[in-house]
């Protein structure tokens, strides 16, 4: 009987050691396919809505994204903004925005202007109080031609210099989606 107990103890130790090996499967958080980026800007002055949309159903395929802007922005105006991302290869389209919100500490939208004729301010944050950027305020200055690049970064360094203020320079991480919209401010 004593030998049987030793065998059981030895077997338990072997099983325990094997379960702690480095061969354990690693859970991978697969990135979602983002085919569509939609930015809706609503004028705080008169409620006018401008929709910026980019659709790229073939991803890295040979077809360029279809980028549309529904109208011009007004100079010296504040807009409330909402950015949404979708996977339109699914039927119905999968709203990836919900996942970005749920995993807010691991995501951040960045809004970069080529000519400095507008700026954005974040109006939402993750559980740590850092910005996500699904909602924001956009303020235009002078009239002119502008381009707005919207970037969704996965696992940004939110403690990096200027990152929580919207500077993508020190964000690091991986780009989940990026699109540039031509904008006219009048």
């Amino acid at each position: 009987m004593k030998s049987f107990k030793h065998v059981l103890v030895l077997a338990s130790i072997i099983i325990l050691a094997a379960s702690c090996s480095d061969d354990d499967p690693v859970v991978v958080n697969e990135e979602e396919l983002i085919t569509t980026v939609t930015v809706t800007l609503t004028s705080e002055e008169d409620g006018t809505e401008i929709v910026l949309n980019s659709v790229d159903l073939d991803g890295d395929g040979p077809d360029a994204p279809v980028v549309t802007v529904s109208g011009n922005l007004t100079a010296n105006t504040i807009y409330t903004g909402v950015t949404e991302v979708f996977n339109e290869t699914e039927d119905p389209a999968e709203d990836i925005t919900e996942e970005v919100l749920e995993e807010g500490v691991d995501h951040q939208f960045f809004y970069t202007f080529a000519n400095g004729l507008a700026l954005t301010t974040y109006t939402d944050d993750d559980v740590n109080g850092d910005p996500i950027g699904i909602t924001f305020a956009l303020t235009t200055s002078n009239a002119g031609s502008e381009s707005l690049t919207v970037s969704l970064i996965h696992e940004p360094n939110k403690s990096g210099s200027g990152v929580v203020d919207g500077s993508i320079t020190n964000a690091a991480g991986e780009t989940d989606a990026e699109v540039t919209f031509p904008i006219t401010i009048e």
Side-chain angles (χ1 to χ4, degrees), residues 32-38 55 57 84-98:
E32 299 290 343
L33 174 63
I34 297 173
T35 62
T36 305
V37 176
T38 301
V55 179
L57 295 179
E84 299 172 289
V85 286
F86 301 93
N87 175 1
E88 290 192 305
T89 63
E90 300 286 329
D91 187 20
E94 181 182 8
D95 186 351
I96 307 298
T97 315
E98 296 171 5

Side-chain angles (χ1 to χ4, degrees), residues 86-135:
F86 301 93
N87 175 1
E88 290 192 305
T89 63
E90 300 286 329
D91 187 20
E94 181 182 8
D95 186 351
I96 307 298
T97 315
E98 296 171 5
E99 183 177 325
V100 171
L101 182 60
E102 288 171 10
E103 299 175 3
V105 295
D106 292 328
H107 292 91
Q108 186 172 342
F109 282 99
F110 292 87
Y111 303 93
T112 308
F113 296 93
N115 300 319
L117 297 178
L119 60 89
T120 57
T121 306
Y122 293 110
T123 59
D124 62 357
D125 15 320
D126 63 26
V127 295
N128 296 327
D130 294 324
I132 302 171
I134 294 171
T135 62

